[in-house]
Amino acid sequence: MATKEPAPARTVPWIKRFASVRMYLGVLIVLVWGLGPFYWMAVTAFRDPDYTFDNTPWPTHVTLENFRDAFDTSRGNDFGKALVNSVIIGACTTVLALLIGIFAAYALARLTFRGKYVVAGLILSASMFPVVVLVTPLFQLFTNLGWIGQYQAMIIPNISFVLPMTVYILASFFTELPWELEEAARIDGASKMQAFRLVMLPLAAPAVFTTAILAFIAAVNEYLLARLLSSDATEPVTVAIARFSGNNPLVQPYAAIMAAGTIVTIPLVIMVLLFQRRIISGLTAGGVKS
């Protein structure tokens, strides 16, 4: 006589509810931890300078005076010029890093050559060097070349910092693209470069877009080298904000600094929110084999 199999145990309803609450609580903690400082910066930016240290968690004594002070050049601050400098440095770094990284990533992912994994290891190991170790040799090198205070003194080091990330993201994506598409293009008469440019590169657009955003943000956020290698004419926003001065040289203009930080951060936050689907798809593409 066949034995009857026991019925599967039912999940207790309160366990499901507890798991759901725990998940939402974790998301809330992450949001507060990540967005809390930005929210407080924005609240302080819109607050009257006389109430900078008010602990009220919502905007009080709202004013735009801090934003006017941020762009005021009468105190030696040139925040508008610094914004332009950051865009120039970030854009040049991103474009050059992508031009180099796309070809390097494709070669590592699709070609077979001697020392392939050694090259990949060297590229990734470059991202492990602490920036402070490179300050003295770079300063000496650029002094000898006469580059101190010029854009290339910040763009070239930034490329070396974002290039390993660029190669890593794009190589993992190119690895998972099907070989059949490239082979079909070659059979139809396309050269290897044409197959890469017309077939493979459009398919890698999500990863390229993601890498471009991350590289631009990393280049704009760099401070240490920019502080030492820039001049008044080429300093980016990270250096300009650190050098802000107010009416009283003995008092730090915290409200104007918060306003400047808000101006810099809001466009980046909006850009990430608008393109979050592309960013996520680019980061996760190639992570799961079909």
Side-chain angles (χ1 to χ4, degrees):
M1 182 176 181
T3 58
K4 186 178 181 180
E5 295 183 358
R10 295 183 179 179
T11 305
V12 182
W14 70 267
I15 295 180
K16 288 185 176 181
R17 289 195 295 268
F18 176 75
S20 179
V21 171
R22 184 177 58 184
M23 181 188 68
Y24 286 113
L25 182 61
V27 171
L28 179 62
I29 292 174
V30 171
L31 285 176
V32 173
W33 180 269
L35 298 180
F38 170 73
Y39 171 78
W40 192 252
M41 178 180 66
V43 167
T44 306
F46 286 97
R47 184 172 287 160
D48 190 282
D50 294 334
Y51 298 89
T52 299
F53 299 102
D54 188 354
N55 292 327
T56 307
W58 51 82
T60 57
H61 307 88
V62 178
T63 179
L64 297 178
E65 179 182 351
N66 299 321
F67 294 91
R68 290 192 292 268
D69 290 342
F71 286 98
D72 187 5
T73 59
S74 63
R75 301 165 188 168
N77 308 322
D78 198 345
F79 183 66
K81 176 63 174 176
L83 279 174
V84 175
N85 292 336
S86 287
V87 172
I88 293 174
I89 295 171
C92 291
T93 300
T94 302
V95 171
L96 293 175
L98 285 178
L99 287 176
I100 300 171
I102 287 174
F103 290 104
Y106 182 81
L108 291 174
R110 313 292 283 187
L111 304 180
T112 301
F113 55 90
R114 182 176 298 178
K116 171 180 176 178
Y117 297 104
V118 175
V119 173
L122 290 175
I123 292 175
L124 294 178
S125 64
S127 62
M128 300 180 184
F129 284 99
V131 179
V132 68
V133 176
L134 305 176
V135 169
T136 300
L138 286 176
F139 185 83
Q140 183 63 49
L141 174 62
F142 293 153
T143 300
N144 296 337
L145 295 174
W147 286 3
I148 298 297
Q150 299 185 23
Y151 288 118
Q152 61 264 32
M154 291 163 284
I155 293 174
I156 292 177
N158 282 339
I159 292 174
S160 65
F161 299 147
V162 303
L163 191 56
M165 174 191 66
T166 302
V167 174
Y168 177 78
I169 295 176
L170 294 178
S172 63
F173 186 86
F174 279 128
T175 301
E176 298 304 322
L177 291 180
W179 284 92
E180 291 79 6
L181 296 176
E182 185 177 1
E183 292 174 352
R186 296 294 304 277
I187 293 174
D188 289 339
S191 65
K192 198 168 187 65
M193 178 57 69
Q194 288 175 330
F196 166 74
R197 180 171 56 89
L198 300 177
V199 178
M200 308 306 291
L201 192 56
L203 292 176
V208 173
F209 190 85
T210 300
T211 306
I213 293 178
L214 297 178
F216 181 83
I217 293 175
V220 170
N221 287 338
E222 202 284 320
Y223 170 76
L224 181 57
L225 289 177
R227 180 68 179 87
L228 298 174
L229 303 177
S230 65
S231 63
D232 293 340
T234 59
E235 66 180 12
V237 290
T238 52
V239 179
I241 292 175
R243 296 177 59 249
F244 259 32
S245 59
N247 292 324
N248 188 343
L250 301 178
V251 178
Q252 190 77 359
Y254 292 107
I257 291 175
M258 294 295 184
T262 303
I263 294 172
V264 174
T265 307
I266 283 180
L268 298 178
V269 173
I270 293 176
M271 181 172 61
V272 172
L273 292 177
L274 289 177
F275 301 109
Q276 58 179 324
R277 292 185 181 274
R278 284 183 173 269
I279 294 174
I280 294 173
S281 63
L283 289 174
T284 57
V288 179
K289 293 180 181 285
S290 57

